[in-house]
Amino acid sequence: MRNFYLVLEKIKTFLEGHSQVNVVTTGDIFDVDLNKQTIFPLSHIIINSANLEGPVIRFNISVLAIDIVDETKENPRDQNEPFYGTNNTQDILNTQLAVCNALIKELEKGDLHFDKYQLQGAPQCLPFQDRFENLLAGWNCTFDVITANTEISVC
């Protein structure tokens, strides 16, 4: 069965081509050296499940779109716009949501869609901050992709 490899490779290739992604990883996020600052912005692919549904396989996938937060040395009371805080978290949430949105649009009606890797249902994107030991922020985007089950052989 090659479907698992192919869906990972297709999503990886798309993410590597995005201007707001530096490195793409997969597997257990805690196996990735998140202290290595040169890997950010990072996209991490997790295959949560695969449902064998006759002629198709439904993969439930999460993509973590992550960047490292830069803290300013400025005193929050000295800021002209305290709404934005003392770091670039809002910028990260904006750019990394754009990464998720681009991937979703590609699965909805881009080359991946026409290559038979198609979004099924509505994706969910949840923001996070302070989820990991170092200062990281981003989105956990979870969605279903269906693809042809080419391994079916009926006797």
Side-chain angles (χ1 to χ4, degrees), residues 95-113:
T95 58
Q96 295 308 296
L97 184 58
V99 170
C100 296
N101 189 44
L103 175 60
I104 295 306
K105 292 302 175 198
E106 182 70 13
L107 292 165
E108 283 181 336
K109 52 188 170 191
D111 288 342
L112 289 178
H113 179 84

